[in-house]
Amino acid sequence: MQIYLPIADLPVDIFLVLGMGLAVGFISGMFGIGGGFLMTPLLIFIGISPAVAVASVASHIAASSCSGVISYWRRRTVDLALGLMLLAGGILGTAVGVWLFTVLRSLGQLDLTIGISYVVLLSAVGGLMINESVRAILRQQQGKPATPRRGGAHTWIHGLPLKMRFKRSKIYVSAIPVWLIGFIIGFIGAVMGIGGGFLLVPMLIYFLRVPTATVIGTSMVLTLITMASATVMHAVTNHLVDAVLALILMVGGVIGAQFGARAGQNMRGERLRLLLGLLVFAVGLRFAFQLVVQPEEIYSIRMLGAE
Amino acid sequence: MTGRLTIAAAALFAGFLAGTGPAAAERLVTSISRHQVLVNSSFTGTSIVLFGTVEPDSPTARRATAYDLIVTVSGPKQIIVERRKERVLGIWANMASRTFLNVPSYLAVLSNQPVEQIANADTVRTQQLGLADKLLPQQLGNDVADVVRDDPFRTNFIRLKTRQNLYLQRANGVTLLTPTVFRAEISLPAVAPIGNYDVDVKAFADGVLLTRANSAFEVVKVGFEQFVATAAQDYGLVYGLTTAMMAIMTGWFAAVVFRRD
């Protein structure tokens, strides 16, 4: 069944988009991520302009992280204080990201920037995740404990001023790296149309030593608020948020996420991380391939305005 | 006084008759099936039918040769930028660009036979009869001008527009039902922009333009689509907040419906 998208200005098959929402939702529920890094490329692939895709996916991620936040909140695994501190940087990062997005779009370099960012970010993060999870699986097969105890190792991050105590996560760290991480995630999210959950979770674990119990719930709070504000900012500055497209994606996404979460519970953590790493890496490779291989169409046209 | 006026009127009338003269004059009468195309959620493109007749002014003035017809439909004007990718440091990036100013967003040239056979090459070019002959003003430095026909930006612009079904030329787009009655089908793709479309009908015989007629139709978004598009453009903040709220409500709803504990 075809439905005409009012902002993207083209008809799409409603069941195709719903199916994409379900599939990405399944993956996001399984790994506890937003799934923007999969959804944005998929939308571009079915013919929606990258700009509309990035702007609309923001609201889709907001919906899926909202249902995540609620269920983690019930289990009391959300560190609200940490989430709000991350957010202080996150909102600023989102604003800068939306601004850069507007500038790049007018220069005609948005697609290229999105492409390169996907390649660099996804292949780097995917590679690291594969490496880490393969090591963990190997260690396990050798009969050693899966995760080596890091102890209370202090890094330079712990020497920074403005220290704060986050009770629920049981950590005592400087506010500076917290703001910085928030800023980076907000910025990347706005420019690339990803929630950044798959980046934020490892950053919180490795840099701030946030315990695994609170890390996903807290990261989802940040994702929810940055993506909801990215939706508003994209709507105000670029007028490119397609609410009809977003709604179809959301409905598919939140349903898919429920089944994904059930599937994920039956899998071991390292294997889950390995799978996610492979997936992230594959999407990165796909973008690299697209940048290097001569495109079928070297000319492109875009409407700047009406008379 | 009265006499002088009568003479003047008579002279005018005589001049009028002489002007049209024995060389037969034709009248072009057209009718369009719809003056408004409504774009709603199920819009996947449509077509509009144009009917017309070429009527000789007097029945005795019928021509020996057949009439030829060219129907040109042009959509709302747009500013469009075209970019070309080039290989830079191993990757393909947009480098050169060209801006087209006030070019038709939609352009269809329909005729009953190839335009080159309707009129000679000179007429085709000067009267911009074919799709490739249309004026496409471009920003060239500080000047606004069109470029030579085989300029790569120009030819690729027409090719890309043709691929989107927004530019088209059909040598069988006009069907002559009788030697004087014709029918043309104007097909609009789903991506046809909103706005006013001008329809220009030209009748030829023996390679000469006899007469022309104009008509128009309008493509408008209606109902929900119209509402959403206007809201997004004019009330960005409210629209953004509503969409964000919709996302939160959907998420909350899912969390309640699928609650497992």
Side-chain angles (χ1 to χ4, degrees):
Chain A
M1 193 178 87
Q2 298 276 313
I3 184 166
Y4 189 87
L5 300 177
I7 308 297
D9 271 331
L10 83 172
V12 291
D13 189 335
I14 189 167
F15 295 113
L16 176 71
V17 178
L18 199 64
M20 279 164 41
L22 278 169
V24 174
F26 184 84
I27 291 165
S28 78
M30 190 160 165
F31 301 113
I33 54 168
F37 76 96
L38 288 171
M39 188 53 95
T40 308
L42 276 176
L43 291 180
I44 295 171
F45 182 73
I46 63 163
I48 290 162
S49 81
V52 174
V54 166
S56 308
V57 162
S59 58
H60 158 71
I61 303 170
S64 55
S65 48
C66 178
S67 76
V69 165
I70 293 170
S71 50
Y72 283 97
W73 185 266
R74 287 201 196 106
R75 283 179 241 154
R76 303 185 168 280
T77 54
V78 175
D79 189 332
L80 197 61
L82 180 61
L84 292 178
M85 285 303 282
L86 283 166
L87 192 63
I91 295 280
L92 186 65
T94 306
V96 175
V98 170
W99 169 79
L100 184 70
F101 181 91
T102 315
V103 172
L104 289 171
R105 199 163 103 87
S106 67
L107 293 177
Q109 300 301 353
L110 182 68
D111 300 8
L112 178 69
T113 313
I114 292 179
I116 293 178
S117 325
Y118 266 93
V119 172
V120 173
L121 204 68
L122 298 186
S123 40
V125 174
L128 286 173
M129 287 172 97
I130 294 170
N131 182 33
E132 184 271 337
S133 52
V134 167
R135 276 159 189 260
I137 291 170
L138 287 179
R139 263 198 308 274
Q140 212 177 23
Q141 282 175 350
Q142 288 160 7
K144 292 176 195 164
T147 43
R149 190 82 201 109
R150 279 164 194 275
H154 275 225
T155 57
W156 57 272
I157 289 170
H158 293 87
L160 292 169
L162 280 171
K163 283 210 162 190
M164 285 186 72
R165 196 172 292 283
F166 297 103
K167 281 194 196 117
R168 189 154 276 172
S169 299
K170 301 190 184 74
I171 51 165
Y172 182 59
V173 288
S174 158
I176 296 170
V178 179
W179 285 333
L180 202 64
I181 290 174
F183 181 87
I184 293 169
I185 298 296
F187 177 78
I188 290 174
V191 176
M192 292 173 62
I194 58 177
F198 73 99
L199 283 175
L200 181 58
V201 172
M203 277 170 130
L204 291 180
I205 293 174
Y206 295 120
F207 295 132
L208 302 182
R209 300 278 147 78
V210 176
T212 41
T214 55
V215 75
I216 293 182
T218 309
S219 103
M220 278 186 168
V221 170
L222 180 73
T223 311
L224 166 62
I225 304 177
T226 50
M227 286 295 107
S229 36
T231 303
V232 177
M233 290 188 224
H234 274 303
V236 172
T237 53
N238 296 305
H239 310 289
L240 289 173
V241 179
D242 197 309
V244 175
L245 174 64
L247 182 64
I248 305 171
L249 292 179
M250 277 173 211
V251 171
V254 293
I255 296 171
Q258 299 301 324
F259 293 103
R262 269 166 233 202
Q265 280 165 352
N266 303 325
M267 277 176 97
R268 306 183 69 97
E270 308 81 53
R271 275 164 211 276
L272 214 53
R273 287 204 299 279
L274 176 62
L275 266 181
L276 179 60
L278 287 170
L279 187 69
V280 170
F281 194 70
V283 176
L285 275 188
R286 167 77 184 75
F287 270 85
F289 182 74
Q290 198 178 329
L291 284 178
V292 178
V293 171
Q294 173 159 10
E296 228 168 81
E297 189 61 79
I298 62 167
Y299 285 89
S300 63
I301 50 176
R302 187 165 79 81
M303 191 187 81
L304 281 188
E307 193 181 42
Chain B
M1 188 71 190
T2 328
R4 205 183 287 167
L5 256 181
T6 319
I7 293 164
L12 260 177
F13 186 63
F16 178 67
L17 276 181
T20 42
E26 275 83 0
R27 253 183 346 127
L28 196 50
V29 180
T30 62
S31 169
I32 199 160
S33 64
R34 278 188 287 171
H35 285 282
Q36 221 176 31
V37 174
L38 307 178
V39 176
N40 55 22
S41 59
S42 56
F43 184 70
T44 53
T46 186
S47 60
I48 294 178
V49 181
L50 174 101
F51 277 102
T53 62
V54 193
E55 293 180 344
D57 266 352
S58 60
T60 51
R62 182 150 295 207
R63 281 172 191 278
T65 49
Y67 294 120
D68 286 317
L69 289 134
I70 302 179
V71 176
T72 309
V73 185
S74 56
K77 300 273 201 295
Q78 286 179 342
I79 302 166
I80 297 171
V81 64
E82 181 179 12
R83 295 195 165 91
R84 185 170 60 203
K85 284 198 169 71
E86 279 158 34
R87 195 169 210 143
V88 189
L89 302 170
I91 57 170
W92 289 87
N94 283 332
M95 298 302 288
S97 76
R98 177 81 55 83
T99 307
F100 289 77
L101 299 165
N102 301 329
V103 287
S105 51
Y106 174 89
L107 192 56
V109 177
L110 312 170
S111 52
N112 60 321
Q113 58 168 320
V115 287
E116 294 76 21
Q117 288 169 28
I118 293 177
N120 64 39
D122 235 23
T123 316
V124 167
R125 206 185 57 245
T126 53
Q127 297 197 16
Q128 303 181 28
L129 297 181
L131 183 61
D133 309 301
K134 297 293 174 197
L135 187 69
L136 297 173
Q138 296 152 50
Q139 185 83 50
L140 303 163
N142 286 326
D143 295 326
V144 176
D146 198 354
V147 291
V148 288
R149 274 181 67 154
D150 53 358
D151 175 77
F153 269 104
R154 194 183 196 281
T155 51
N156 280 293
F157 177 81
I158 296 177
R159 186 179 58 80
L160 288 172
K161 279 290 211 179
T162 307
R163 215 179 51 179
Q164 295 177 345
N165 295 325
L166 285 170
Y167 277 23
L168 55 127
Q169 177 159 2
R170 303 234 188 290
N172 57 356
V174 178
T175 315
L176 282 157
L177 304 171
T178 72
T180 58
V181 178
F182 63 92
R183 175 185 186 278
E185 194 167 321
I186 303 160
S187 63
L188 288 174
V191 291
I194 308 306
N196 290 312
Y197 287 67
D198 292 320
V199 183
D200 177 50
V201 186
K202 292 191 184 87
F204 284 80
D206 299 320
V208 180
L209 174 66
L210 302 174
T211 177
R212 61 199 291 180
N214 288 294
S215 185
F217 63 90
E218 189 185 13
V219 175
V220 285
K221 276 186 189 167
V222 286
F224 183 65
E225 274 55 44
Q226 159 70 23
F227 174 73
V228 173
T230 319
Q233 199 57 45
D234 301 343
Y235 307 97
L237 182 63
V238 178
Y239 178 85
L241 287 172
T242 312
T243 313
M245 275 313 294
M246 180 174 84
I248 290 166
M249 292 303 288
T250 311
W252 171 79
F253 191 69
V256 170
V257 169
F258 295 102
R259 184 168 186 165
R260 271 168 286 161
D261 43 39

